[in-house]
Amino acid sequence: MRHRRLALTGPAAAALYQLDGFRDYKWPHSWCVPWGNNTYPGDRTVQARRWEVPQMIGDIPVCSVELVVRHLHAFPADLVSRADGIAPIDRVELAVEHILRLGHTLCAARGGSMSGDALLRSVLLRRGNNVPTESYAETRAVQRFREWDIQPWRQIPIMEKGRIEFRADFMIPFRRRRRPDIIRPCDGLLIEIDSREFHEHQFERDHERGSTYDALGYHWISVTPNQIEHQPTKVRKALDGASRRAHPPT
């Protein structure tokens, strides 16, 4: 029998990497082995055509974060409802946005034989060429927008006196079209995701941001991660109402 090399992969490895969507939950272990290696019956293993020297997190050999994301499909679907109710593809999208935010490059070649490529392709296809979100809460907002058939623009530069003063989280355009190179107040409704984690120590900065939006003529609304997660109907109504006030039908 050939020497058996193992590296942790899949959801348990994502938890070790503290990736969005997989932290704070005890996932079943999945192990990655080189393609063609012998495995023992009953083991939960994934055979990888591309093998690499595992990284060590503590005393545990772990696949690279790029390989781990290809194996995130390897968890029982019934764990989803027992964790936080997030759909499997949405959970993988949370991890993908986090990985992209860290500066990694992800791709899934069409027809790739590596386990999990099909799911990764689906996530990359639906996110398009958008810039990565900046937080877990923003990714969850994107997923809510998708449920509501809203296609927001991300990371909106707010210009004042020829320089970028702020970047708003999202803009919902008043009409569907390609994002212009220069975004103006008349183009849409700004959305800010105000998380206590990022905003409780910068009250003055947030106040200045709101005053700048008002002074420049932007229509805007802020929502919290808790509202997005637990009060989506209220958020949808608030967005619809703000959009009608900002851009009443003609």
Side-chain angles (χ1 to χ4, degrees), residues 19-227:
L19 294 183
D20 285 351
F22 292 88
R23 63 183 75 191
D24 301 329
Y25 194 77
K26 188 174 182 179
W27 298 96
H29 284 53
S30 301
W31 298 95
C32 185
V33 297
W35 190 269
N37 258 31
N38 292 310
T39 59
Y40 298 124
D43 283 350
R44 184 190 297 275
T45 57
V46 178
Q47 290 185 317
R49 187 178 297 276
R50 188 187 75 189
W51 182 249
E52 57 194 18
V53 177
Q55 302 184 44
M56 300 300 296
I57 299 181
D59 58 352
I60 302 176
V62 185
C63 289
S64 71
V65 70
E66 294 92 343
L67 193 55
V68 164
V69 75
R70 286 175 162 79
H71 301 152
L72 290 181
H73 73 294
F75 61 93
D78 63 340
L79 284 180
V80 175
S81 59
R82 297 213 306 268
D84 49 22
I86 298 175
I89 192 170
D90 288 343
R91 190 179 301 282
V92 174
E93 184 178 23
L94 286 163
V96 165
E97 291 290 344
H98 190 172
I99 291 169
L100 295 175
R101 192 157 63 239
L102 294 174
H104 297 275
T105 300
L106 293 175
C107 62
R110 182 179 299 174
S113 58
M114 188 175 295
S115 178
D117 266 1
L119 180 57
L120 178 58
R121 281 199 302 274
S122 297
V123 171
L124 294 177
L125 180 64
R126 76 184 204 166
R127 77 172 304 280
N129 294 322
N130 288 299
V131 297
T133 60
E134 293 194 333
S135 67
Y136 175 97
E138 286 187 23
T139 307
R140 288 296 289 151
V142 167
Q143 292 168 352
R144 290 297 190 194
F145 293 149
R146 186 180 296 120
E147 292 175 13
W148 302 330
D149 194 28
I150 294 174
Q151 299 177 13
W153 300 331
R154 305 184 188 182
Q155 295 303 306
I156 309 302
I158 306 301
M159 306 289 295
E160 186 177 22
K161 298 179 180 179
R163 66 178 184 179
I164 298 176
E165 292 292 335
F166 298 95
R167 285 190 182 273
D169 295 329
F170 302 103
M171 174 179 274
I172 298 177
F174 291 136
R175 59 186 179 87
R176 288 194 177 182
R177 62 190 179 101
R178 179 175 296 181
R179 175 173 173 162
D181 294 330
I182 299 176
I183 296 177
R184 301 171 299 170
C186 60
D187 287 326
L189 175 71
L190 295 180
I191 313 295
E192 286 287 357
I193 311 299
D194 284 343
S195 170
R196 179 176 298 178
E197 176 184 0
F198 297 105
H199 293 273
E200 67 177 346
H201 299 303
Q202 56 177 33
F203 173 80
E204 293 296 335
R205 180 67 171 170
D206 285 350
H207 180 75
E208 180 186 355
R209 178 198 65 187
S211 297
T212 300
Y213 292 171
D214 291 338
L216 295 177
Y218 283 97
H219 300 278
W220 65 285
I221 186 173
S222 65
V223 297
T224 68
N226 183 69
Q227 290 172 324

